[in-house]
Amino acid sequence: MQTIYDKNLSVLKTKDPLLALALFHFKPNQKFEVFMDKDAANFNIIDKETNTPLFLGKPLEETMQKITDFTPYTYYPYLYFYGAGNGVFYRLMLGNSQHQRIVVIEPELEILFIILNLLDFSADILSDKIIFLYSKLCSYHLINSLFEMDKKSRIYSKVYDLHIFNPYYERYKSEILTFNQYFIKAIEHSVISVGNDTRDAITGIRQHIQNLPDTLRSPTLLNLVENLKNKDTAIIISTGPSLTKQLDLLKSIAPYATLFCIDASFPILYKHGIKPDIVFSLERVEATARFYYDTPQEAQDGVIFAITSIVHKKLKDSITKGIKQFSFRPFGYTNLFGFHQYGYIGIGMSAANMAYELIVHSRFKKCIIIGQDLSFGEDGKSHAQEAIYGSDEIKPKPLEEKIFVEKYGGGGEVETTKVWKLFLEFFEKDIAQTPYKLEVINATEGGARIHGTLEMSFKEAIASIDTSKPKKSIHLTYPSKTESKKNIQIAKQKCLDIIKYGTEKKSLIEELFLKVAKYTEELEKLNKQNKLEEINFKELTQLSNEIDTMKKLFEEKKFNDYFVDAIQSYIFHQELDIAKLVVRYTKNELETQAKQLEWIYAHKYWLFSLAGGIDCVIQTVKEALESWEAIN
């Protein structure tokens, strides 16, 4: 017969294999001893090294008091704790259906061993309703993954807190502070990743659709990946201040290594007689086109330009001699077209992040990074010499606004920016999540430390590259005209469906908005007349239910693919504040009614914004489709 421990461990093997392995090899009765009571829930755990109990009084009484103390958190969907105690508190908390996920970090493996032997959490572990983390196996990237695995959790960022289970765990203060910083960093990263400017997304949608005919006539991303397979070393060349000192060595090794060059580095390499294999562009802005039209056209001969479908028309048109290879970034509005052979890279925020993704997809054995400073140089320069927009394109901030990160080689810090810090975090995340053993060498020899990389000089990094024979050229294959024509027609039909579906949903949202607007106007009249006792709470409940139903649109894949990228920035930031209202505990009916009224008022603007965002996408798709007439 399967024991409680067997059930828990069996589930952990699928959810957290490292923790399951650690528990499987663990030898019990080392540091802690269990004191059982007649009541199975009233057991204590004693630290034998310090002769300290986890509970100073009766465990069950303390647990029930803690349940009472946590009454204000009744409506919190996500809760985070340091310290597992004896597990009974969490077993009881899981009885509240409002708690969608409880995360528990425990510093002592033996305590987890004891809990999982005595309490059955198997079903809740399997459903991710509770996640036990052993602190020795827990990293920033693991914490960050919590917000990636459940996107809804980041909506509750403004109500985050890391609760210390009880006084026993205060001895781990240093570790608690570290994990709290991990959570804050992960939350900040997830919130910034959403963005705060819907114009970027709208521009992306417009340019993606405008570029679709050219995209569907270009070689696919799968074709590019296939032609990069079985290659040994790729060098990512970025435009940090340190690049200048690496150019001579880069020129000497260029005939033998595959050179992945970000667009800003392309003009610099040309001036030094270095021809990259692939140049990357992923941004929407027109300014990026200058890297191409300000560089002599002969520089493009024999070069593959890996560009995303959202680039500006001027950039696309500035590439006249090289091979344009379009790919999709992993957005809903690119995924919905179904041309998966063109996707998906560019999940990061920079062309260098995109280059790394392609290296991983192509299964290179080694990746060398140069010019990836992600910080200002010692002389305050932001970019390499000869950079198109100048070596001081970005200026250091005033002292009170400066941001610092660990420096290359350790032993200090260097100044960075919010955007560079975001690029850095994407690099570290991608490196940590690389699905095979890839040797990643940071040979920048300056700037910020990129955790997960080996740090060595560029000379040392390239020493093992085979220079006995030059590398082979990369040859790509274009789709047939018949295939391209068929795909363009499919894309057009999808655009027309966005317009049709969006118009239908917008109409429903506007109808509900008018109901809410009318109700709030009536509330304001009653307030002016001092007749609040006449508020129609039955209608209020009905409207609340209708809003809840409308919010289920965000659970529909089609709605998410068509519209979320465009509207998520401002809807998300509204939801952050609405979440504070949602979790607010109410003690009586009066407080509950007041909360309902605030909730309705918050969603009046929410509905208005949602309808406006959908309309903006509809108009953008219509305008983008018009550009097809000029080229077809």
Side-chain angles (χ1 to χ4, degrees):
M1 184 176 178
Q2 197 176 37
T3 65
I4 290 174
Y5 185 65
D6 290 336
K7 288 173 68 177
N8 285 326
L9 197 62
S10 177
V11 173
L12 273 176
K13 285 177 183 177
T14 63
K15 305 302 290 188
D16 190 345
L18 287 178
L19 176 55
L21 186 64
L23 287 166
F24 181 77
H25 292 292
F26 180 73
K27 294 179 180 179
N29 303 316
Q30 295 182 31
K31 182 179 177 181
F32 296 93
E33 188 173 352
V34 179
F35 277 78
M36 300 297 296
D37 189 75
K38 292 177 182 178
D39 188 335
N42 194 33
F43 68 93
N44 209 338
I45 300 173
I46 311 297
D47 183 336
K48 295 189 291 186
E49 291 180 357
T50 60
N51 199 30
T52 307
L54 261 65
F55 298 92
L56 296 176
K58 293 183 178 180
L60 190 55
E61 286 183 8
E62 287 188 25
T63 297
M64 297 313 296
Q65 182 58 49
K66 192 171 183 66
I67 292 289
T68 301
D69 294 341
F70 265 77
T71 300
Y73 296 93
T74 298
Y75 302 119
Y76 276 62
Y78 301 92
L79 289 167
Y80 306 90
F81 293 89
Y82 185 92
N86 66 0
V88 175
F89 170 74
Y90 302 109
R91 182 67 274 157
L92 296 173
M93 289 286 281
L94 288 168
N96 180 352
S97 61
Q98 297 288 336
H99 301 323
Q100 295 177 27
R101 190 175 70 195
I102 298 173
V103 177
V104 183
I105 300 174
E106 172 54 52
E108 299 289 349
L109 185 62
E110 188 167 357
I111 287 179
L112 287 177
F113 178 84
I114 291 167
I115 290 170
L116 296 176
N117 265 280
L118 297 174
L119 299 170
D120 185 357
F121 285 101
S122 57
D124 298 298
I125 293 172
L126 185 62
S127 64
D128 290 321
K129 193 164 183 183
I130 191 163
I131 298 175
F132 288 109
L133 300 174
Y134 175 38
S135 67
K136 305 302 184 290
L137 300 175
C138 190
S139 64
Y140 162 69
H141 296 292
L142 183 56
I143 298 296
N144 187 56
S145 70
L146 295 173
F147 298 93
E148 291 185 352
M149 68 188 281
D150 185 348
K151 301 292 187 184
K152 287 183 182 178
S153 62
R154 62 189 182 184
I155 291 172
Y156 294 87
S157 297
K158 287 189 175 181
V159 296
Y160 158 77
D161 196 3
L162 182 59
H163 304 279
I164 304 172
F165 178 74
N166 71 3
Y168 174 83
Y169 287 95
E170 290 173 3
R171 66 193 64 199
Y172 303 95
K173 185 176 180 181
S174 176
E175 190 170 90
I176 291 169
L177 290 173
T178 297
F179 282 113
N180 191 45
Q181 287 301 313
Y182 286 170
F183 273 108
I184 291 169
K185 181 181 175 182
I187 288 168
E188 181 185 56
H189 180 74
S190 67
V191 170
I192 292 173
S193 299
V194 172
N196 58 9
D197 191 347
T198 192
R199 289 173 297 183
D200 282 349
I202 290 296
T203 300
I205 292 170
R206 178 184 295 109
Q207 291 173 186
H208 169 69
I209 294 174
Q210 287 174 339
N211 289 332
L212 271 175
D214 282 342
T215 299
L216 298 172
R217 295 185 185 110
S218 84
T220 67
L221 177 62
L222 287 180
N223 183 238
L224 176 58
V225 168
E226 192 60 35
N227 280 278
L228 290 172
K229 288 279 178 68
N230 302 316
K231 293 186 180 293
D232 186 77
T233 303
I235 302 174
I236 300 177
I237 306 151
S238 296
T239 326
S242 67
L243 175 63
T244 307
K245 66 186 178 188
Q246 310 287 21
L247 291 170
D248 288 341
L249 269 177
L250 181 63
K251 187 173 183 178
S252 71
I253 204 67
Y256 310 102
T258 306
L259 304 190
F260 281 37
C261 167
I262 73 162
D263 44 20
S265 300
F266 180 53
I268 299 172
L269 297 195
Y270 171 74
K271 289 178 182 178
H272 289 265
I274 302 169
K275 187 177 286 292
D277 296 282
I278 306 175
V279 179
F280 294 83
S281 284
L282 86 166
E283 295 184 39
R284 308 165 179 85
V285 296
E286 181 181 349
T288 314
R290 188 178 167 190
F291 301 131
Y292 301 109
Y293 65 71
D294 264 13
T295 303
Q297 294 297 291
E298 60 264 25
Q300 298 179 7
D301 283 332
V303 177
I304 295 169
F305 294 90
I307 59 180
T308 65
S309 63
I310 66 172
V311 298
H312 194 277
K313 182 179 186 297
K314 194 166 185 179
L315 184 153
K316 176 185 70 175
D317 293 344
S318 295
I319 300 169
T320 58
K321 291 193 174 182
I323 298 171
K324 283 179 275 194
Q325 187 282 310
F326 288 86
S327 63
F328 294 165
R329 294 186 71 181
F331 301 145
Y333 64 81
T334 58
N335 180 74
L336 69 90
F337 285 90
F339 304 119
H340 304 309
Q341 64 271 35
Y342 286 92
Y344 298 86
I345 57 174
I347 192 171
M349 304 290 283
S350 75
N353 294 137
M354 178 181 171
Y356 182 80
E357 290 171 48
L358 183 58
I359 286 169
V360 172
H361 285 304
S362 305
R363 291 298 197 271
F364 275 80
K365 297 182 181 70
K366 183 187 295 184
C367 168
I368 301 172
I369 301 168
I370 60 172
Q372 193 63 45
D373 295 65
L374 298 169
S375 71
F376 294 97
E378 291 180 2
D379 57 359
K381 300 296 185 184
S382 61
H383 289 77
Q385 293 174 23
E386 302 175 291
I388 284 283
Y389 286 100
S391 60
D392 57 353
E393 177 189 351
I394 300 172
K395 304 291 190 296
K397 294 285 187 182
L399 183 61
E400 64 276 8
E401 297 177 30
K402 289 183 183 295
I403 300 171
F404 294 93
V405 293
E406 187 178 3
K407 69 185 290 187
Y408 183 96
E413 294 183 320
V414 286
E415 184 184 353
T416 188
T417 68
K418 283 185 178 179
V419 173
W420 288 341
K421 189 168 180 278
L422 198 60
F423 294 169
L424 173 64
E425 289 170 357
F426 267 108
F427 250 123
E428 292 179 340
K429 178 176 73 71
D430 287 346
I431 290 168
Q433 295 178 356
T434 299
Y436 70 101
K437 190 174 182 180
L438 170 64
E439 185 179 12
V440 186
I441 299 170
N442 185 0
T444 295
E445 298 182 73
R449 166 165 277 178
I450 302 174
H451 289 276
T453 65
L454 298 171
E455 293 178 338
M456 65 175 70
S457 70
F458 189 36
K459 184 177 182 179
E460 187 181 358
I462 63 174
S464 62
I465 294 176
D466 182 7
T467 57
S468 61
K469 55 183 178 181
K471 64 193 173 189
K472 294 180 180 178
S473 299
I474 303 167
H475 298 287
L476 301 184
T477 305
Y478 288 83
S480 68
K481 288 184 179 180
T482 302
E483 184 182 359
S484 294
K485 187 175 181 180
K486 176 185 174 185
N487 286 338
I488 290 168
Q489 188 58 36
I490 291 170
K492 184 174 183 179
Q493 290 304 313
K494 183 64 71 173
C495 290
L496 294 174
D497 190 58
I498 294 172
I499 296 168
K500 179 176 179 290
Y501 175 85
T503 302
E504 292 170 358
K505 298 305 177 186
K506 181 172 76 82
S507 177
L508 293 173
I509 295 163
E510 287 173 338
E511 184 181 330
L512 181 55
F513 166 76
L514 291 174
K515 286 185 187 178
V516 171
K518 182 182 177 183
Y519 184 79
T520 54
E521 284 173 14
E522 291 171 355
L523 285 175
E524 285 156 18
K525 284 180 186 177
L526 291 173
N527 187 39
K528 285 179 182 178
Q529 297 168 2
N530 292 319
K531 295 181 179 178
L532 290 178
E533 69 278 1
E534 296 181 18
I535 292 175
N536 187 340
F537 283 102
K538 186 176 180 181
E539 185 180 355
L540 174 63
T541 300
Q542 176 62 32
L543 284 175
S544 297
N545 291 337
E546 289 186 44
I547 291 170
D548 279 334
T549 300
M550 193 63 71
K551 295 186 94 161
K552 288 180 180 176
L553 276 175
F554 287 86
E555 297 173 13
E556 293 182 17
K557 186 179 186 303
K558 192 172 187 179
F559 182 83
N560 276 278
D561 285 348
Y562 285 10
F563 301 110
V564 164
D565 287 300
I567 64 178
Q568 69 175 346
S569 58
Y570 54 85
I571 291 293
F572 174 75
H573 288 284
Q574 287 181 54
E575 290 283 7
L576 287 174
D577 290 317
I578 290 172
K580 291 193 291 184
L581 180 60
V582 169
V583 302
R584 186 198 298 168
Y585 181 68
T586 54
K587 302 186 195 71
N588 51 52
E589 186 179 2
L590 189 61
E591 288 186 4
T592 301
Q593 290 173 342
K595 179 177 173 178
Q596 280 183 296
L597 290 170
E598 283 187 62
W599 197 80
I600 283 288
Y601 269 99
H603 282 88
K604 177 182 174 182
Y605 182 65
W606 184 92
L607 289 164
F608 179 80
S609 302
L610 184 59
I614 292 172
D615 185 63
C616 188
V617 172
I618 291 168
Q619 298 309 317
T620 298
V621 174
K622 287 179 179 178
E623 291 167 13
L625 273 180
E626 288 173 5
S627 69
W628 291 22
E629 304 302 323
I631 60 174
N632 289 328

